[in-house]
Amino acid sequence: MKNKKLLLVLAALVMAVLVYLGLSGQTKNNAEKPAKAGEKVSIGVLQFVTHESLDEIYRGIEAGLAEGGYQKDANLTIHFMNAEADQNQIQKMSEQLVADQNTALIGIATPAAQGLANATKDIPVIMGAVTDPLGANLVSDLKKPGGNITGVSDATPVADTVELIQAITPEAKTIGILYSSSEDNSLSQVNAFTEAAEKAGYKVVPYAVPSTNEINTTVAAMLPKVDVVWTPTDNTIASAFPAVISAAKEAQKPVYTSVETMVEQGGIASVTLSQFDLGVATGKMAASILDGADPSTTPVEIFSQGTIVVNQKVAKELGLTIPDSLLQKAATVIE
């Protein structure tokens, strides 16, 4: 009798384990399975902070998803969150988007992608505008990422920017770089730019800030010591860029940037990558993942072909002349 009861208890335990494993497998499969034709799917999007360039990327993502056959409010639900540069919120929001069992996740900017990567090893994560995926420890190989993460990288054309500085400010000898020490992608851009600028004969002085709170004091210390300023694709600097421009204008120092919207805000020139096009590429890649593509074997797409944007109005205010040859090559001239 005792043996019979023992067998019944063991059988119940085995059944409970099987049910648990079945439910766990179902949860995992729900996150990984490709979308079927006509089936409505959901994706989670985490944006690092609000500013024009990242907002443009998000607009592009929606357009790219639509081009890939996933139309918002038709066969696609987008759960969008914005951490507003708060690291605690990045973690909480990443965990929430994973808990919502989205079929795929998109991280706009490096900190957002890192947050999602830390939150899941099962749900596909697509990077949007991550300059250095290797340095950020998001992928192990650009051609074969090897995990649940792939996406689009915006490789800043730094050598072309150095040529801009030579053309517009030929007398400049010292370049100050303003960047955030808390963003992995910024340091890789600083290193690449420094190498290109020093090769061209410039003295390069980097100024790192841990947050927007230190930007005003850092800029005030930097401007008397440099001839021009360069800023990489950096979310922290972009968030406080009007303050940077205000101080630079008062000091009569030109600021070269890496984003078109920042040239519009008062930078003198840039060789830029279209943030909207970056978003479209990210959205298309997300659509392919939803269709069943494996992120571990989907190569990271690299954007590096930039276009010239110049601000003629700022040049005149600073008493600088933009060569006609450069104006003719520019894709955008802001008057």
Side-chain angles (χ1 to χ4, degrees):
M1 190 71 167
K2 289 182 179 179
N3 289 338
K4 186 175 181 181
K5 287 183 178 179
L6 181 60
L7 288 172
L8 288 173
V9 171
L10 288 172
L13 287 172
V14 170
M15 183 63 70
V17 170
L18 290 173
V19 169
Y20 172 78
L21 290 174
L23 289 174
S24 298
Q26 184 178 8
T27 299
K28 182 175 178 180
N29 289 337
N30 283 344
E32 293 181 338
K33 68 179 182 179
K36 297 178 182 178
E39 179 183 351
K40 190 165 186 176
V41 297
S42 65
I43 64 168
V45 178
L46 178 60
Q47 183 169 315
F48 175 56
V49 69
T50 298
H51 65 69
E52 290 183 26
S53 60
L54 296 191
D55 294 344
E56 277 291 287
I57 290 171
Y58 180 61
R59 282 203 320 114
I61 285 171
E62 288 191 346
L65 281 163
E67 286 187 35
Y70 293 91
Q71 187 73 44
K72 185 179 175 183
D73 298 327
N75 63 341
L76 174 68
T77 298
I78 298 179
H79 297 141
F80 176 82
M81 291 186 173
N82 190 324
E84 296 298 2
D86 186 326
Q87 291 295 332
N88 291 328
Q89 288 300 315
I90 288 175
Q91 180 181 346
K92 291 178 182 178
M93 290 178 175
S94 295
E95 292 171 353
Q96 182 60 57
L97 290 171
V98 170
D100 289 341
Q101 295 188 23
N102 289 290
T103 306
L105 303 169
I106 299 176
I108 303 178
T110 301
Q114 288 174 321
L116 294 172
N118 291 333
T120 180
K121 302 301 178 189
D122 298 319
I123 302 174
V125 175
I126 298 94
M127 306 174 292
V130 173
T131 302
D132 186 10
L134 294 172
N137 295 317
L138 287 165
V139 299
S140 57
D141 187 282
L142 295 177
K143 294 183 179 179
K144 295 181 180 179
N148 65 316
I149 305 169
T150 187
V152 179
S153 175
D154 53 339
T156 305
V158 291
D160 294 338
T161 303
V162 171
E163 290 181 5
L164 269 188
I165 295 172
Q166 291 174 314
I168 299 173
T169 46
E171 296 181 0
K173 292 180 174 58
T174 303
I175 303 173
I177 302 178
L178 184 66
Y179 74 102
S180 169
S181 58
S182 62
E183 296 188 36
D184 294 329
N185 66 304
S186 295
L187 183 57
S188 64
Q189 293 175 78
V190 170
N191 290 337
F193 180 88
T194 299
E195 182 180 352
E198 288 182 345
K199 187 177 180 181
Y202 289 102
K203 177 183 178 182
V204 179
V205 186
Y207 289 82
V209 294
S211 70
T212 55
N213 296 330
E214 290 78 17
I215 285 181
N216 286 337
T217 54
T218 302
V219 170
M222 172 183 64
L223 288 172
K225 302 174 183 178
V226 303
D227 299 314
V228 301
V229 177
W230 177 73
T231 63
T233 306
D234 184 300
N235 301 296
T236 301
I237 304 305
S239 298
F241 196 63
V244 175
I245 289 299
S246 177
K249 184 177 181 180
E250 185 175 346
Q252 288 289 287
K253 299 291 175 71
V255 179
Y256 294 85
T257 81
S258 302
V259 181
E260 180 172 355
T261 54
M262 293 167 75
V263 179
E264 294 170 356
Q265 289 177 299
I268 189 168
S270 177
V271 181
T272 70
L273 305 174
S274 167
Q275 303 301 293
F276 181 80
D277 289 346
L278 280 167
V280 170
T282 304
K284 286 182 177 180
M285 185 172 288
S288 72
I289 298 297
L290 292 174
D291 287 339
D294 185 351
S296 69
T297 57
T298 301
V300 174
E301 185 173 349
I302 307 295
F303 265 66
S304 60
Q305 188 64 44
T307 56
I308 297 172
V309 179
V310 296
N311 193 320
Q312 183 78 294
K313 179 182 176 182
V314 168
K316 290 177 180 177
E317 290 174 353
L318 295 175
L320 297 171
T321 301
I322 298 177
D324 289 338
S325 59
L326 191 57
L327 290 173
Q328 291 172 4
K329 289 194 295 184
T332 303
V333 177
I334 300 166
E335 300 287 354

